[in-house]
């Protein structure tokens, strides 16, 4: 029997959305700060307000596109989330610096799965972070895509990362009620991450989120 993966709901935009996600069974909430593209961006002050409202043990993830440790530390001082989700590549020396400066904050590095080279990228960084999150962006574009694309990537690469790298892995990118069973069976991730598929007109939908959570439980 497959293990039921944790569910992280991203693009939370208000205390009310956070409360709804927690009530429906989310284990973690994603709070999106400034990005070059993509949905769900809110101010650092709003992120701090939402993070303060979330009860333990629910995790709060600050999605940051910053790449230098000092700048990330300054942003975290405002936002005060339990976890940093690094959506762009961060040098290992900067990850080590983050560890020293924020020892109690969890680090999650996003790997944008674009081919077999993503496996090597994941392996290189895994020992320096608490988890990986596999998404479907493209940081090589002129305007970087660092998440929120709604696209499914190559789950064979994701499965290889989950099987061969000793690090918890969240799977993101086009996950919805209709394909979550296939995703869980194919990849067997520690957690799932989603945004647009549980929303109506940009608002978190209790109906869609309920449908998704039921699909997760039945898949496992």
């Amino acid at each position: 029997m497959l293990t039921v993966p944790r569910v992280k709901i991203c693009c939370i935009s208000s205390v009310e959305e956070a409360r709804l996600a927690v009530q429906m069974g989310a284990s973690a909430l994603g709070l999106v700060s400034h990005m070059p593209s993509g949905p769900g961006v809110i101010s650092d002050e709003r992120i701090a307000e939402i993070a303060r409202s979330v009860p333990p043990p629910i995790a709060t993830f600050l999605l940051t596109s910053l790449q230098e440790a000092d700048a990330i530390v300054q942003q975290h001082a405002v936002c005060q989330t339990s976890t940093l989700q690094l959506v762009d590549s961060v040098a290992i020396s900067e990850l080590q610096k983050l560890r020293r400066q924020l020892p109690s904050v969890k680090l999650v590095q996003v790997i944008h799965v674009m081919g077999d080279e993503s496996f090597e990228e994941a392996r290189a960084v895994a020992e320096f972070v608490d988890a990986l999150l596999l998404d479907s962006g493209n940081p090589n574009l002129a305007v970087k895509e660092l998440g929120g694309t709604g696209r499914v990537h190559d789950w064979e690469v994701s499965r290889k990362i989950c099987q061969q790298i000793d690090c918890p892995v969240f799977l993101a990118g086009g996950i919805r009620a209709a394909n979550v069973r296939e995703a869980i069976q194919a990849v067997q991730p520690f957690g799932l991450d989603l945004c647009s598929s549980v929303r109506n007109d940009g608002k978190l939908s209790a109906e869609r989120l309920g449908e998704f959570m039921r699909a997760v439980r039945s898949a496992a």
Side-chain angles (χ1 to χ4, degrees):
M1 181 178 292
L2 296 172
T3 301
V4 178
R6 313 287 178 90
V7 174
K8 171 177 170 275
I9 304 300
C10 203
C11 306
I12 296 294
S13 63
S14 66
V15 170
E16 292 73 25
E17 283 197 350
R19 187 176 298 120
L20 174 60
V22 171
Q23 288 173 347
M24 300 294 282
S27 298
L29 308 178
L31 306 164
V32 184
S33 67
H34 174 75
M35 294 288 153
S37 65
V41 173
I42 57 177
S43 69
D44 288 354
E45 291 74 21
R46 175 68 65 83
I47 290 173
E49 176 193 9
I50 297 170
R52 285 194 300 270
S53 77
V54 177
I58 308 301
T60 52
F61 284 52
L62 166 62
L63 277 70
T64 180
S65 60
L66 299 174
Q67 296 175 278
E68 296 183 356
D70 289 342
I72 295 170
V73 169
Q74 289 178 11
Q75 186 180 27
H76 180 265
V78 176
C79 298
Q80 292 292 304
T81 57
S82 64
T83 304
L84 291 169
Q85 180 174 325
L86 309 168
V87 302
D88 207 345
S89 60
V90 176
I92 288 173
S93 60
E94 296 298 302
L95 292 173
Q96 293 172 318
K97 193 172 181 179
L98 278 174
R99 279 280 195 227
R100 291 193 299 270
Q101 296 192 40
L102 297 173
S104 64
V105 177
K106 301 297 185 183
L107 302 180
V108 177
Q109 177 65 61
V110 174
I111 305 293
H112 296 287
V113 178
M114 299 169 62
D116 289 334
E117 68 274 13
S118 300
F119 175 80
E120 296 303 327
E121 182 184 356
R123 184 164 62 180
V125 76
E127 69 178 284
F128 302 99
V129 296
D130 298 288
L132 301 172
L133 190 147
L134 310 181
D135 208 346
S136 305
N138 186 347
N140 299 323
L141 297 176
V143 177
K144 293 182 179 184
E145 288 181 339
L146 300 176
T149 67
R151 296 194 304 264
V152 174
H153 58 257
D154 185 350
W155 287 343
E156 285 300 314
V157 177
S158 296
R159 180 183 179 89
K160 181 180 178 182
I161 291 171
C162 282
Q163 289 181 335
Q164 298 187 30
I165 295 177
D166 186 20
C167 185
V169 173
F170 288 83
L171 180 66
I175 307 294
R176 51 182 58 86
N179 68 4
V180 70
R181 175 185 291 272
E182 181 185 359
I184 293 171
Q185 292 175 343
V187 180
Q188 298 180 34
F190 170 83
L192 301 164
D193 178 86
L194 62 156
C195 173
S196 58
S197 66
V198 289
R199 284 179 162 73
N200 275 325
D201 296 324
K203 301 290 186 182
L204 189 62
S205 164
E207 181 180 359
R208 286 191 170 190
L209 183 51
E211 179 186 11
F212 181 82
M213 298 302 286
R214 288 190 295 272
V216 170
R217 289 190 290 269
S218 67

